Each structure stands twice: as C-alpha cells, then as structure tokens.
Amino acid sequence: MKLIISAQNPTIESPVDTRFGRSQWLILVDADTKQWKAFQNPGVSQSGGAGVAAAQFVVDQNAEVVISGDFGPNAARAFQSAKIEMRLFLKQALTVEEAVDLYNSNKLLKFS
Amino acid sequence: MQIAVASGKGGTGKTTIATSLALSLAKLAKVRYFDCDVEAPNGHIFLKPVFDQISPAVILIPQIQPEKCTACGHCVEVCQFHALAKVGKTILVFPQLCHGCGSCTWNCPENAIIEVPNPIGTLERGMARENIAFLRGQLTISEPMATPIIRQLKKMEQPSEEFVDIFDAPPGASCSVVETLQGVDFALLVTEPTPFGLHDLKQMIGIVRDMNIPAGLVINRDGIGDDSLEELIQEEKLPILLRVPFNRLLAEKLAAGQSLVDVMPEYREVLVKLYQEIREIVGGSDK
C-alpha cells in the first residue's frame, strides 16, 4: 500500500506537517516495507492553488492513501475523484513513521 | 483626470478622503466615484447612491467536453493557477481558482474546452448625492478573485477629460490595488503616523514608483503615533497634500455615517485646493 504523508523534513523520522497543500515535504512510504522517498511539495511555492498542485502530485504518484492534518476543499475534491483515501493523524502522530504505524493498525480517522 | 485613493494599511481613511473629495469637487466638475474595494465596499454609506443599473460580473471559465477530451493533460500543465487537475481520464475544474486567462482553451489540441460564464459578483451604477455618478463592484462572499471585478468596474466608463474620476482602492498592496492604480493619473496615498501605516506606505510607494504614477500624501489622524513617518517622507521627498488632525468627535461622526465635509464643511475648500495641487503635479509631469 502506497501512502503519502505531509512532513516538515525530508525523512521518515521527520515531524509530520499538519498542513497538506503548504507542507514542505511529501513522503511516499510503502506501508508494508516502510521503504520511503521524500519529495518537495510542488504546492509550497505556489501563490494560489497549493492544495490542487499538491493533490495532482499525489495522484501522479499513484498513491492509494494520503495522510495529513487536514485537507482543503479543492484537494479533497481531487482525492475523492481519484478515489484516494484521505486519513487524518490529528494529534496522535508526531513523526511520519508513527503515522505509518497508526495507519497499519487502523487508528487513523477517515477524512469525510 | 483619474485619481486613485490608496493606502496599504486598512482603516487609514481612504473612503473618508475619497468620498469627501468627490463631494468637494461636485459643484466644480463632473465627478464619478468608483468603489473599487469590491470585497467590502462602503463608499455608499457617505455618498448615498440610488442604483438604477445592476449586472453580474462574470469571468469565463473552462468547461471540458468529455466526448472530445483525450485527457492529455496539456491544460493542466499550462494552468499556472492550478485551476485544473487530471485524475485518471478526467479533467477536474476548480472554478474558484480560475483567473479566466483562457490558456487552457487556447492550448487544448482537441478543442475540447468551451468557456462558460461564471458569475463572481455584481456591478452597479447610480447617482449619488450632489450629482456624483456612483459605480460599485461587489464580490460575492466566498469568491476569492477581486481583480476581474475591478477591471470590469473601471471599464464601465471611458476615461475623459470632462470628468474627475475617483477610484477608492481596496486596502493592502497586492493585485487588486495594482488593478485599481492601472492607468490613473495620480495616486493619493492616505496614511497615518503609526508603525503599521508606515510599513504599508513603504509598500505603496514601491508600487507607485514601479508603475510610474505621480503620488502625494494625506496624513490622517495627524498627531498620534511617532515621528518615523515624517522621516520616511523627508527621505522619499513625497508632497504632503493634506493633514487631518486626530479628532475624536470626527471619528464618532464618521462612524455614524457622516462624511468629513458634512462634519467639518471647511474641508471642502481644503480638498478643492488639494485637487488643484494634484492638477499642477500631473500637468508638470509627463502626462
């Protein structure tokens, strides 16, 4: 299962970023093997439409699940159309790796 | 003559000055007042227009014709505002992000995009006190894009030597202010001697210099704050065209919807003089 998680730094140990469209980094993680790769969020440098730019990137990576603190209406619409599941880490997860563990044990809230 | 009244910082007195300038000149010239603060227009409170025309302000946004679209994604790539996204074989349109620039339509190799009007607000016209022509744009709440309405509002009338046009600008120092300033003969910058007033005035000075628009200052609430504004003005060598001392009674009457020249009629003459000074500055420059 391919997850993308918003993060403050480009590692799996990084603190999560509660913002989606404006997070510095997006970390692609394989939920089973925990192999990961960090990508600069293309949304972060946009003057507008950051959520759509970041969502387009997630869609293009063929991720199945996207995890962040919240999703704006535009990003959420893109993910709903792409049938990409949105999950929220609220205040439970401090790092990207913890967010993956919480996802694996099905403890992350579904965004709706 | 086209004069924009701008400030940077909100609440420095743009509308106070713009509406009273309009009232002061109304007996001497044909005056048109444009409320370009389309996110929160309030000139009507002081000029009391009766509107007899109203029309929707629209921008043209893309509509994808699915039978022609091959989902090649060119439109998504050329849209610098991220108003389009490609999801599988579908192109999604995000109307609130669209600036109506037409790039997607232009670049679609399949001619699969048609443009449809998307209303984002209203344009109104009427007559106000003392025969002032009053034009107002109003952005619908939740719509984010102010500049197209301002552009359309200004286009409702042709510039003419016969008229004094007063553009009451929105606060801030971003696109909507630049749109308001576009093409005007003079920028009247209303500021106040506070750190916020100073900070935003610096930005406004940068904008009018970039746009090559002659400018002058109104210092409102003169006497409060500190001296840093005076220091900046000396450095920048901008003419101070008017000082309005801080006055609690005036503030109360303005808050109750009376204009500056209603409360203090002596300002009519002062504002006529200010206009004459503007004419001299504009006449002496390239224009």
Side-chain angles (χ1 to χ4, degrees), chain A residues 17-108:
Chain A
D17 196 323
T18 52
R19 303 164 305 166
F20 172 68
R22 297 282 180 193
S23 71
Q24 283 292 332
W25 296 91
L26 295 172
I27 318 283
L28 177 68
V29 187
D30 185 312
D32 307 315
T33 64
K34 284 204 183 165
Q35 274 199 319
W36 60 271
K37 197 169 179 184
F39 297 90
Q40 202 132 38
N41 179 0
V44 77
S45 55
Q46 305 297 331
S47 61
V52 175
Q56 181 71 64
F57 177 79
V58 173
V59 171
D60 293 343
Q61 294 298 317
N62 296 317
E64 292 146 284
V65 181
V66 58
I67 306 172
S68 190
D70 201 0
F71 299 96
N74 293 333
R77 204 185 124 210
F79 289 135
Q80 275 153 6
S81 308
K83 301 204 163 39
I84 293 174
E85 196 184 338
M86 288 170 276
R87 294 282 188 127
L88 303 173
F89 42 65
L90 304 177
K91 285 184 179 146
Q92 310 149 283
L94 300 175
T95 69
V96 174
E97 190 164 13
E98 284 173 12
V100 177
D101 293 337
L102 287 163
Y103 174 78
N104 282 335
S105 48
N106 201 20
K107 283 186 181 151
L108 293 179

Side-chain angles (χ1 to χ4, degrees), chain B residues 5-141:
Chain B
V5 184
S7 70
K9 181 185 175 294
T12 57
K14 281 181 298 302
T15 301
T16 300
I17 296 300
T19 54
S20 279
L21 181 62
L23 288 168
S24 305
L25 298 178
K27 286 197 173 65
L28 311 169
K30 290 197 216 169
V31 177
R32 299 187 293 207
Y33 170 92
F34 297 73
D35 201 336
C36 298
D37 186 2
V38 300
E39 290 179 77
N42 63 350
H44 58 278
I45 295 169
F46 305 100
L47 295 180
K48 307 199 170 25
V50 178
F51 293 111
D52 51 18
Q53 278 182 40
I54 177 161
S55 57
V58 299
I59 58 171
L60 293 176
I61 64 164
Q63 193 177 70
I64 317 287
Q65 297 174 279
E67 67 281 6
K68 285 191 183 172
C69 177
T70 59
C72 69
H74 274 318
C75 53
V76 177
E77 280 163 38
V78 298
C79 180
Q80 58 174 312
F81 306 108
H82 302 287
L84 297 162
K86 182 185 155 188
V87 171
K89 292 255 172 257
T90 312
I91 303 293
L92 299 177
V93 181
F94 297 89
Q96 293 202 327
L97 297 176
C98 177
H99 283 53
C101 74
S103 295
C104 54
T105 314
W106 187 259
N107 281 286
C108 175
E110 311 295 334
N111 288 323
I113 300 179
I114 55 168
E115 293 182 334
V116 294
N118 181 37
I120 57 171
T122 53
L123 298 167
E124 293 162 289
R125 185 207 305 265
M127 292 307 284
R129 291 173 57 188
E130 305 192 24
N131 258 339
I132 297 167
F134 191 105
L135 296 101
R136 175 172 79 173
Q138 201 157 10
L139 189 67
T140 302
I141 288 173

Side-chain angles (χ1 to χ4, degrees), chain B residues 58-284:
Chain B
V58 299
I59 58 171
L60 293 176
I61 64 164
Q63 193 177 70
I64 317 287
Q65 297 174 279
E67 67 281 6
K68 285 191 183 172
C69 177
T70 59
C72 69
H74 274 318
C75 53
V76 177
E77 280 163 38
V78 298
C79 180
Q80 58 174 312
F81 306 108
H82 302 287
L84 297 162
K86 182 185 155 188
V87 171
K89 292 255 172 257
T90 312
I91 303 293
L92 299 177
V93 181
F94 297 89
Q96 293 202 327
L97 297 176
C98 177
H99 283 53
C101 74
S103 295
C104 54
T105 314
W106 187 259
N107 281 286
C108 175
E110 311 295 334
N111 288 323
I113 300 179
I114 55 168
E115 293 182 334
V116 294
N118 181 37
I120 57 171
T122 53
L123 298 167
E124 293 162 289
R125 185 207 305 265
M127 292 307 284
R129 291 173 57 188
E130 305 192 24
N131 258 339
I132 297 167
F134 191 105
L135 296 101
R136 175 172 79 173
Q138 201 157 10
L139 189 67
T140 302
I141 288 173
S142 87
E143 284 293 337
M145 211 89 65
T147 43
I149 296 205
I150 297 170
R151 195 177 312 133
Q152 290 172 28
L153 176 68
K154 290 174 74 177
K155 274 197 191 146
M156 286 174 76
E157 299 289 354
Q158 290 295 316
S160 156
E161 279 309 306
E162 244 187 281
F163 289 93
V164 179
D165 289 338
I166 297 171
F167 298 112
D168 194 353
S174 62
C175 302
S176 52
V177 176
V178 172
E179 190 63 53
T180 305
L181 288 168
Q182 203 77 257
V184 302
D185 300 301
F186 191 84
L188 190 58
L189 306 180
V190 184
T191 189
E192 60 178 32
T194 63
F196 283 138
L198 176 78
H199 175 273
D200 284 14
L201 178 65
K202 283 182 190 165
Q203 302 205 311
M204 283 311 305
I205 293 172
I207 292 175
V208 295
R209 294 255 153 95
D210 257 16
M211 296 180 78
N212 214 3
I213 298 170
L217 294 178
V218 174
I219 301 180
N220 194 13
R221 301 193 191 100
D222 194 22
I224 67 165
D226 56 31
D227 293 334
S228 49
L229 177 64
E230 303 289 337
E231 288 162 22
L232 176 81
I233 293 166
Q234 287 207 334
E235 252 171 62
E236 297 283 350
K237 298 190 174 47
L238 278 171
I240 300 171
L241 302 179
L242 175 64
R243 290 175 187 270
V244 183
F246 178 72
N247 174 334
R248 189 185 160 103
L249 182 73
L250 173 62
E252 284 174 12
K253 301 263 176 156
L254 289 172
Q258 294 188 41
S259 76
L260 170 64
V261 293
D262 291 332
V263 185
M264 299 171 133
E266 62 271 27
Y267 272 95
R268 280 186 183 258
E269 207 178 311
V270 173
L271 286 165
V272 169
K273 273 194 194 140
L274 174 140
Y275 175 67
Q276 284 160 352
E277 278 188 69
I278 292 176
R279 284 206 76 99
E280 276 169 35
I281 296 171
V282 172

